[in-house]
Amino acid sequence: QVQLVESGGGLVQAGGSLRLSCVDSSLAFRFNAMAWYRQAPGEQRELVARISRGGSPNYAESVKGRFTISRDNDKNTVYLQMNSLKPEDTAVYYCNTHRGPAGPSGTDYWGKGVLVTVSS
């Protein structure tokens, strides 16, 4: 079974940095894209960054230039390096992977989430 376990959340001041990590239990990790989502209070969950199985990244406009997603297939781990953090980045961050066809016919797997709080 796929299990995603995140770590690295916490409290930082504006302008600071954090690195999130997500470990995937699946032996097929290297064949799948991985992503980070976040959900702020009262808001919908939104895509922050995605990385293909080949390592090609994609970012939300709000974090482009500040966040970097990467993966280490030998460790079954995806990372999100967050620099120049803003109070607007405060949210619960979730690790995600999608298996099968694109859209609802496939299956989304989620970590339990980690809280990132950015103070001003």
Side-chain angles (χ1 to χ4, degrees):
Q1 294 183 342
V2 175
Q3 284 187 296
L4 305 176
V5 180
E6 306 107 327
S7 62
L11 172 65
V12 297
Q13 295 185 23
S17 299
L18 283 174
R19 189 179 75 162
L20 305 182
S21 300
C22 173
V23 179
D24 184 349
S25 65
S26 175
L27 295 177
F29 172 85
R30 61 191 175 97
F31 298 112
N32 292 279
M34 302 292 294
W36 288 97
Y37 286 73
R38 68 186 181 187
Q39 187 169 20
E43 302 291 335
Q44 297 292 313
R45 189 173 299 185
E46 64 176 351
L47 176 66
V48 177
R50 182 181 183 275
I51 187 167
S52 74
R53 64 183 184 181
S56 180
N58 202 339
Y59 300 97
E61 286 294 325
S62 60
V63 307
K64 192 172 184 179
R66 300 187 297 121
F67 291 10
T68 302
I69 188 170
S70 61
R71 65 192 299 161
D72 185 339
N73 290 342
D74 291 334
K75 297 180 179 179
N76 277 25
T77 302
V78 62
Y79 304 95
L80 185 67
Q81 178 67 47
M82 304 183 292
N83 298 327
S84 301
L85 283 162
K86 304 175 180 179
E88 309 93 89
D89 296 318
T90 296
V92 176
Y93 285 71
Y94 298 90
C95 183
N96 164 269
T97 187
H98 184 85
R99 306 293 173 88
S105 61
T107 303
D108 279 295
Y109 296 89
W110 300 91
K112 292 184 178 181
V114 292
L115 178 63
V116 172
T117 302
V118 184
S119 65
S120 59

